[in-house]
């Protein structure tokens, strides 16, 4: 029982790390495609610099 709990916890941690790496890569690729400055912020997501200010990528799509 204890062993299953440890395995489950390890799987969850690996999934979170994998998801974070994929999101950072997606954010970087978005910046490459649009020729904009981007960075990944934890709990916010992909941030894009527009006119000297940082905005979440989802809001940039609405503003355009």
């Amino acid at each position: 029982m204890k062993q299953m709990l440890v395995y489950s916890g390890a799987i969850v941690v690996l999934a979170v790390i994998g998801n974070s790496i994929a999101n950072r890569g997606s954010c970087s690729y978005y910046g490459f495609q649009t020729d904009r400055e981007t960075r990944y912020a934890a709990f916010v997501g992909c941030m894009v610099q527009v006119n000297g200010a940082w905005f979440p990528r989802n809001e940039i799509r609405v503003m355009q």
Side-chain angles (χ1 to χ4, degrees):
M1 184 67 167
K2 193 174 186 180
Q3 190 176 17
M4 289 292 288
L5 198 57
V6 170
Y7 286 144
S8 297
I11 288 171
V12 168
V13 168
L14 288 175
V16 168
I17 290 171
N19 191 28
S20 176
I21 290 170
N23 287 338
R24 288 176 190 269
S26 173
C27 184
S28 177
Y29 187 63
Y30 176 79
F32 173 74
Q33 284 181 320
T34 59
D35 199 30
R36 291 181 172 170
E37 188 71 27
T38 60
R39 66 179 175 189
Y40 184 79
F43 308 111
V44 177
C46 190
M47 302 287 288
V48 180
Q49 189 174 24
V50 178
N51 299 329
W54 291 94
F55 296 97
R57 184 171 106 179
N58 294 337
E59 289 184 18
I60 297 300
R61 292 180 182 166
V62 173
M63 291 170 50
Q64 292 176 347

